[in-house]
Amino acid sequence: MKKPLAGALLSLLLMGAAVAPAVAAPNTQAAPAATAVAVNYAGTVALSNCSGSVVRAPASQPNDPALVLSNGHCLETGFPAAGEVVKDRPSSRSFSLLNASGSKVATLRASKIAYGTMTDTDVSIYQLTKTYAQIQSQYGITALTLNDVRPVQGSAIKVVSGYWKRIYSCNVDGFAYRLKEGDWTWKDSVRYTSSCNTIGGTSGSPVIDTTTGKVVAVNNTGNEDGGRCTVNNPCEVDQNGNVTVRQGINYAQETYIIVPCIAPGNTIDLSRPGCLLPKP
C-alpha cells in the first residue's frame, strides 16, 4: 500500500483529436474532439497521513451530512485486518479542505467512520459534521460526485492528491481480477498506465475521469520493488490463479460499488439492493 505518512516523515512504502473522413466534402471540417473536464483540487482534502475528497452519491441531497472518501489503510485506528469491517465508529478526525488552486480554505471534522475495510476493496468513508449545503455556502466548495458505473479501459484519468497538492495524469490501463498484497486481497482493481507514478501520501486520492469529472476509483497501492504479493509489492492474480508482477505500476479501487450502499440521508446501509461491500 501507499503507506500513510507519519508526521513530516516521507515513507515511500505502502501506499483525440477527431479524424477527418477519407473523402471530405468541400468546406467541411472534422468535428472537434470532446473537451475534457478541467480537474483541479476543489473538494479534495488532506488527512494527517493521506489524501481524500468530499464526495456525494448521485442521489445525495444538499442537506445531507457530507462524506469524505479515503482508503481503509488510512484509518486513524490502523489497518483493518483481512475480513474486518469498521462500521459507524465515532471519530473526530479533521480534514483540510482545499480549493481549486490547492489552498486550504477550511478544517472539516468527522462525526464518525461510516465505513472502512481492506477486504475486497481498500476504502474508508467518514461522515462529517457539516452538510454539503453548509460547505458550499461557507467555503464555495462543491463535493465530487461518485460515478455509478464501472470505469472504462483506456479512459483518461487524473489522480488528485490533497496531501501533496499534486495531480497525476494517465489512463486506465486495465483491471486486475484480484490484487493481492500481504494479507489483503482486492477485487477488480484499476491498473494505471505508468505515468501515474503515485507515492506515499497519495493514498486515498480520488481518481477522476476527465470526460465526466466524476470519481471512478480511489488510489491505494503500487508495486515498488518487484516483489511478489508482499506488502508494498502487490501482484495480480487472474481467474486461473496465474500471478503477474508489474514493478513500478500503481493501482486504485473502483468506487461505483459504493453508490448502491448509500441510503437516503447519506447513511451507509449494507443491506440495500445491489450493495456488495463486505459486511461486518
Side-chain angles (χ1 to χ4, degrees), residues 10-32:
L10 171 60
S11 173
L12 298 182
L13 299 175
L14 290 175
M15 117 119 198
V19 178
V23 179
N27 300 321
T28 62
Q29 296 180 346

Side-chain angles (χ1 to χ4, degrees), residues 68-144:
V68 161
L69 172 71
S70 190
N71 285 149
H73 78 259
C74 293
L75 289 171
E76 68 269 34
T77 51
F79 293 0
E84 180 182 0
V85 172
V86 178
K87 181 80 165 60
D88 294 330
R89 181 177 297 178
S91 173
S92 58
R93 193 167 194 181
S94 61
F95 311 90
S96 296
L97 177 66
L98 307 183
N99 63 14
S101 64
S103 297
K104 178 181 176 180
V105 294
T107 297
L108 303 176
R109 194 164 296 279
S111 61
K112 67 179 180 180
I113 302 169
Y115 185 83
T117 193
M118 289 176 64
T119 299
D120 295 350
T121 186
D122 183 8
V123 65
S124 60
I125 303 169
Y126 288 86
Q127 187 175 101
L128 302 184
T129 58
K130 290 185 181 294
T131 66
Y132 297 117
Q134 289 172 325
I135 293 172
Q136 171 69 43
S137 174
Q138 295 173 20
Y139 314 120
I141 300 297
T142 301
L144 300 174

